[in-house]
Amino acid sequence: MTPTPLRLCFLTGTLNAVAGAERMTATMANALASQGYAVTILSLWDSASCFPLHPAVNHQALFAHRPSFKRAYATTVAGIRHHLRENKTAVLVEVDPMLSFFALPAALGLGVRHIAWEHCHFDEDLGKPARRLARRLAARFYEAVVVLTERDRRRWLQALRPRSRIACIPNPLPFSMPEQASSRTAKTVLAVGRLVAAKGFDVLLRAWAEVAPLAPDWRLTIVGEGDERVALEALRDELGLGACVTLPGICADVTAAYSQASVFCLSSRYEGFGLVLVEAMAFGLPIVATDCETGPRELLEPGRDAIVVPVGQPAPLARALAHMISHPGEAAILGEAARQKASGFLPEPIIQRWEALLDRCDAGNERWQRGDLKFPCDENK
């Protein structure tokens, strides 16, 4: 008899936004659907997706547009509960611990097992103090909390002494490992990310104002879209960088941007993981990055595959970029080391870790508590 596939739901805000959490939700849903899991994605709003979905993935949304969740709280909880019952969901993966405020009451009495998927780091609440309570709820009541770095896993254990398993599962490279690295012949420094304050592109522009006179034939390209576009374009023009800085928006194929760059820069004020670093490293791009929590500090080895500088300071960032540009031999060595490291983030082994966690949830609480099933990255030491 063919075993019944585990019925799994990813609960998220929306898939119609070009951002890391949304991209990873689609990536993991697709991968697990291809492995035979019965996968649904429930967005709170907007049934469109910026990312292609596997034909077997059922994507629904509670609202056409983002509502006021204070006014629509009861409707939201009822909608999630209806989805869980209709789809006979066994495991609910909440793509942000904040969703616990909806998911816990929605799943009450249904026997659904919860996993929280944390895409930021523990000490950043993104301006919402309620996030701290949400993390406590997840640590107390959930089967597991998935974090992206070992540093963050240790922080959860230190701060909350959780009853939940805290599993470190990094984000996978969302595309196949490129057969060839970038030729690095174009005189282009690339940055990729949402145009929001967290990404520090204002700091990068101020740094580039110092680099441009030293490397007048080089260009800076910032790929992405977001609320800060108008402010960043105004700052670019104020700094006189209109001829050497482009903000082309969202690229339909971001791999083309990596393949046509020679240096990658991450200027973030904070990161949960920094998937763009892994993507850039896969193309053999040498990295200049800020030393922010938690991803860059775990992903990068200063002097081996990157130059790392303090957060929020244009002058050190400018010096690092100028050094990378003016020392192509060193840049090539860093880029090769980065490409080797990127091979450790191929999808298959990371998907297997998700499968081990999901199957452990499916095995039932008794075996979970006895510890019969071994999952080395989530031991509460």
Side-chain angles (χ1 to χ4, degrees):
M1 179 180 295
T2 303
T4 302
L6 177 65
R7 305 188 73 83
L8 168 68
C9 175
F10 288 89
L11 178 65
T12 187
T14 181
L15 284 185
N16 201 18
V18 181
E22 289 78 3
R23 189 176 191 185
M24 279 297 102
T25 300
T27 298
M28 292 310 305
N30 290 342
L32 292 168
S34 70
Q35 294 297 106
Y37 291 82
V39 180
T40 66
I41 300 175
L42 180 61
S43 293
L44 295 187
W45 71 92
D46 199 341
S47 60
S49 173
C50 287
F51 308 99
L53 296 175
H54 190 283
V57 173
N58 174 16
H59 179 213
Q60 301 177 19
L62 293 182
F63 304 97
H65 306 285
R66 182 170 185 162
S68 166
F69 286 110
K70 288 183 179 179
R71 291 195 295 268
Y73 179 79
T75 304
T76 303
V77 170
I80 295 171
R81 186 174 183 84
H82 175 76
H83 180 91
L84 297 176
R85 295 182 69 173
E86 184 178 62
N87 291 279
K88 299 180 174 59
T89 301
V91 179
L92 179 62
V93 180
E94 295 148 42
V95 183
D96 184 332
M98 286 285 280
L99 293 168
S100 63
F101 293 127
F102 301 112
L104 279 172
L108 193 64
L110 298 183
V112 174
R113 297 188 176 92
H114 297 261
I115 296 175
W117 192 4
E118 176 65 89
H119 288 269
C120 195
H121 67 83
F122 184 85
D123 294 304
E124 176 56 58
D125 64 15
L126 302 178
K128 296 181 179 179
R131 191 176 300 277
R132 301 170 194 170
L133 174 58
R135 287 171 175 151
R136 289 185 178 277
L137 290 173
R140 172 64 177 80
F141 294 109
Y142 282 21
E143 296 285 342
V145 176
V146 175
V147 300
L148 303 179
T149 66
E150 179 60 26
R151 295 173 67 91
D152 208 37
R153 189 187 77 90
R154 292 196 297 266
R155 186 73 181 94
W156 275 74
L157 295 176
Q158 174 193 50
L160 298 182
R161 299 187 179 277
R163 294 190 179 185
S164 301
R165 296 282 175 166
I166 309 299
C168 171
I169 308 180
N171 286 335
L173 187 67
F175 46 75
S176 300
M177 190 73 178
E179 293 185 6
Q180 294 183 332
S182 167
S183 64
R184 300 186 53 250
T185 55
K187 295 183 177 182
T188 300
V189 172
L190 176 66
V192 177
R194 289 176 298 137
L195 305 185
V196 295
K199 301 303 179 183
F201 292 138
D202 56 324
V203 179
L204 177 54
L205 288 174
R206 295 186 188 282
W208 195 255
E210 299 182 34
V211 175
L214 305 175
D217 51 347
W218 278 70
R219 300 290 181 268
L220 170 65
T221 298
I222 303 174
V223 171
E225 197 51 80
D227 296 340
E228 294 288 310
R229 168 171 286 281
V230 173
L232 292 171
E233 289 178 335
L235 179 59
R236 175 192 62 185
D237 297 342
E238 175 189 330
L239 295 170
L241 301 175
C244 60
V245 175
T246 57
L247 290 88
I250 297 169
C251 287
D253 180 11
V254 73
T255 61
Y258 290 117
S259 67
Q260 295 165 14
S262 292
V263 176
F264 185 81
C265 182
L266 182 138
S267 54
S268 297
R269 291 180 166 89
Y270 60 83
E271 284 285 349
F273 182 69
L275 181 63
V276 292
L277 292 174
V278 178
E279 294 175 347
M281 289 191 292
F283 281 90
L285 296 182
I287 307 292
V288 174
T290 49
D291 184 27
C292 61
E293 288 281 4
T294 52
R297 289 187 182 176
E298 188 157 316
L299 292 173
L300 303 176
E301 296 177 65
R304 184 178 185 276
D305 50 34
I307 298 177
V308 178
V309 300
V311 174
Q313 299 183 31
L317 185 59
R319 288 194 294 270
L321 288 169
H323 180 87
M324 195 76 83
I325 288 170
S326 61
H327 293 78
E330 180 180 339
I333 293 171
L334 295 176
E336 178 56 33
R339 183 166 161 84
Q340 292 176 8
K341 180 177 286 185
S343 65
F345 294 89
L346 294 176
E348 289 78 7
I350 293 174
I351 293 165
Q352 288 172 6
R353 292 166 75 173
W354 267 101
E355 289 186 273
L357 181 61
L358 293 169
D359 291 347
R360 185 169 186 169
C361 286
D362 193 38
N365 286 327
E366 183 180 352
R367 292 184 68 194
W368 181 279
Q369 295 298 334
R370 289 206 316 264
D372 292 350
L373 299 175
K374 301 300 182 183
F375 192 68
C377 72
D378 69 348
E379 294 304 318
N380 290 353
K381 296 180 180 178

